[in-house]
Amino acid sequence: MIDAALLNQILVATGMGLVGAVVFAAIGLVSGTDETTTLAPLTLLVVLLGVPPVGVFTFFLAAAVAKHMTHAVPTALLGIPGDTMATPLLQDANVLRNLGVPHIALRKMVSGAIIAAFIAVPLAVLFAVLLAPYGAAITKAAPWIFVAAAVAIAYFSSGRWASVATLVPFVMVIVALQALTGKYGVKLSISYFLGIAIGPLVADLFSVISPAARARMKRDKVRTFSLAPDVKGWSGYFPNPFKVLDRGQVKWTFATAAVSSATFVFSPVAMTVVLGELVGSRIRHAYHRLTTTLAARNGVTEATYIAEALIPLIAIGLPLSPVAAGPAAPLFNAPPVFTIDAASGQTHNLHNLLNHWEFLGYGMLAVILAALVAYPFTMNFARRAALFISRKVSHEAIIATFVGLIVVISVWEGQLLGLLVILTMGLLGGLLSRAIGFNTGVQFMGYYTAVLTVPAAIKAFA
């Protein structure tokens, strides 16, 4: 008989996983909804509302898995990337769309994602367990690891050396803002995180009120889309992904998902591009190359996201990856619920509250829930969903919803100073990301460098 406390945990985890899967399966249909801007604030809200740790974990993971299935819908059918991770998929998807078979591209992408998700969770947990014995040493060296990781992630971003150089003034801005708010007895952490997360959104809002920028944003005509008729190639509601993909595509999806499940320090977009190019270079037939590459690449988006969140979370408890420092950051640091001590590098977060078997069990539960919600929905109703989103859903309303949520959280944490810090960090980060490729992943590492490395350096060299 199942223990009452365990049964309660399973029910909470199942309920929150379903919420995450449903909400983000819908959000993934909306083009341009960046993971950091959407997944991070809502996960933070779930943490601050006092949801138990298992519920927080399944909410985040089911949401991420579901979104990386449905983000294929606008990418394949409308020719607009569903989010940042979908950008490397766009070129091949557009070729198939121009050939009149966008539904084929969509099915390959979504089937690759569901297979990769089931591979990534157990492999990521395994790699984390292998790394865990070194966790104490890594935690002790955390301030210096953060600055090294920040430089590495900056170098592998699109800004390269410009991003590396920009880390110094960016970190100094955060240190200066901390000193300013500290004078008024206000200690902020969530506001910095949210400001970085919504940087591109804040930059766009400021651009709209600038005559010069608004002139560049104007378009002569409304953008139009053409959707090919959908053709259902299976019976029943839940198609078998192993029949949607051929044997070679399944093999490449397994291989690329396994490789990306073992990595957690590289850019997810870079992993998607590199492994996709590797697969494409091994296949001669053009049509088979396109469909196989799309399946493998969307599988990599799932596996990389899962691995980059789970490996640092399970093994170390510190956000030492672009995903952990970005969309998954509330799982590590969401004061006062989850904390990272700046002086010692000690943690109180999911790393301390769940064991390895719980990460594996609830991780698989989250993937199953996302698969049950997002996979059949995308395969059966993608065309109708894309038509509804493009015709009926206001992007402005979605943006306003997230702006309202962020304003509430910032005022709750730091009143007016919290809101001003969000605006400052958002505008600075958004403009730097747009101008030189200093993306949000690098910015989050810069934030952790400011709060962990700078105090340690001052103490060491004082």
Side-chain angles (χ1 to χ4, degrees):
M1 188 174 180
I2 300 179
D3 179 76
L6 176 60
L7 179 60
N8 181 64
Q9 279 195 339
I10 293 173
L11 291 175
V12 170
T14 303
M16 292 307 300
L18 276 174
V19 171
V22 171
V23 170
F24 279 88
I27 290 176
L29 297 170
V30 183
S31 58
T33 47
D34 182 74
E35 299 94 337
T36 308
T37 309
T38 55
L39 185 53
L42 286 184
T43 304
L44 177 61
L45 180 63
V46 168
V47 175
L48 296 180
L49 287 174
V51 174
V54 293
V56 173
F57 179 63
T58 54
F59 173 87
F60 171 84
L61 196 58
V65 172
K67 191 177 194 307
H68 286 128
M69 289 189 204
T70 58
H71 77 177
V73 174
T75 307
L77 300 187
L78 301 178
I80 313 172
D83 50 38
T84 306
M85 289 296 296
T87 305
L89 310 171
L90 190 60
Q91 184 175 353
D92 291 342
N94 277 340
V95 174
L96 290 176
R97 193 162 61 91
N98 293 333
L99 292 174
V101 287
H103 54 290
I104 300 296
L106 176 66
R107 291 170 190 170
K108 300 293 186 182
M109 292 160 69
V110 180
S111 297
I114 188 174
I115 291 172
F118 279 99
I119 296 168
V121 169
L123 285 181
V125 173
L126 173 62
F127 292 129
V129 170
L130 294 176
L131 187 63
Y134 308 99
I138 294 172
T139 300
K140 187 176 181 180
W144 317 112
I145 292 175
F146 267 107
V147 71
V151 171
I153 293 170
Y155 178 76
F156 286 106
S157 71
S158 58
R160 286 296 177 104
W161 287 113
S163 292
V164 174
T166 305
L167 271 171
V168 175
F170 187 79
V171 168
M172 293 308 298
V173 168
I174 295 174
V175 171
L177 287 173
Q178 287 179 318
L180 173 65
T181 58
K183 284 188 176 181
Y184 297 95
V186 176
K187 187 174 181 179
L188 302 173
S189 58
I190 297 172
S191 295
Y192 291 100
F193 162 72
L194 285 178
I196 293 170
I198 64 166
L201 172 60
V202 174
D204 284 341
L205 291 176
F206 273 85
S207 297
V208 168
I209 58 176
S210 163
R214 190 166 62 246
R216 291 194 298 269
M217 297 168 72
K218 284 184 177 179
R219 299 294 181 265
D220 297 329
K221 57 184 179 181
V222 176
R223 189 172 182 180
T224 58
F225 305 97
S226 299
L227 280 175
D230 198 3
V231 180
K232 189 173 179 177
W234 60 88
S235 59
Y237 181 68
F238 200 105
N240 185 346
F242 291 98
K243 292 184 178 179
V244 176
L245 303 180
D246 63 35
R247 186 174 298 178
Q249 290 165 347
V250 171
K251 179 191 73 173
W252 281 115
T253 301
F254 264 86
T256 53
V259 170
S260 52
S261 296
T263 58
F264 67 97
V265 295
F266 300 110
S267 162
V269 174
M271 290 293 295
T272 304
V273 172
V274 170
L275 291 179
E277 291 295 327
L278 177 65
V279 172
S281 67
R282 297 294 188 273
I283 301 172
R284 291 186 178 182
H285 189 276
Y287 177 79
H288 193 240
R289 180 172 63 248
L290 289 170
T291 53
T292 304
T293 301
L294 281 173
R297 277 183 168 166
N298 206 39
V300 172
T301 70
E302 286 281 23
T304 307
Y305 242 72
I306 292 170
E308 293 204 6
L310 292 191
I311 294 176
L313 186 61
I314 298 170
I316 309 165
L318 298 173
L320 293 174
S321 78
V323 172
L331 305 181
F332 296 83
N333 190 37
V337 183
F338 298 153
T339 57
I340 296 174
D341 185 80
S344 64
Q346 295 300 306
T347 63
H348 176 74
N349 51 38
L350 292 183
H351 170 74
N352 311 99
L353 300 173
L354 299 179
N355 61 44
H356 298 158
W357 290 109
E358 288 174 322
F359 277 114
L360 177 60
Y362 291 117
M364 293 304 294
L365 174 63
V367 172
I368 290 170
L369 293 171
L372 290 174
V373 171
Y375 182 68
F377 170 77
T378 305
M379 296 293 281
N380 289 289
F381 305 109
R383 189 178 189 278
R384 275 176 277 179
L387 281 173
F388 177 80
I389 292 295
S390 59
R391 289 176 176 175
K392 302 294 184 181
V393 175
S394 167
H395 280 52
E396 290 80 3
I398 295 172
I399 291 171
T401 300
F402 280 100
V403 168
L405 169 64
I406 287 158
V407 168
V408 168
I409 293 175
S410 66
V411 172
W412 166 80
E413 186 189 34
Q415 292 79 47
L416 181 60
L417 279 175
L419 185 58
L420 291 175
V421 165
I422 280 186
L423 285 176
T424 303
M425 295 305 303
L427 181 59
L428 175 64
L431 293 177
L432 287 173
S433 177
R434 181 179 299 171
I436 62 173
F438 189 71
N439 61 41
T440 53
V442 184
Q443 293 173 35
F444 278 116
M445 295 309 294
Y447 167 72
Y448 286 111
T449 299
V451 299
L452 291 174
T453 309
V454 170
I458 292 173
K459 184 178 179 180
F461 298 108

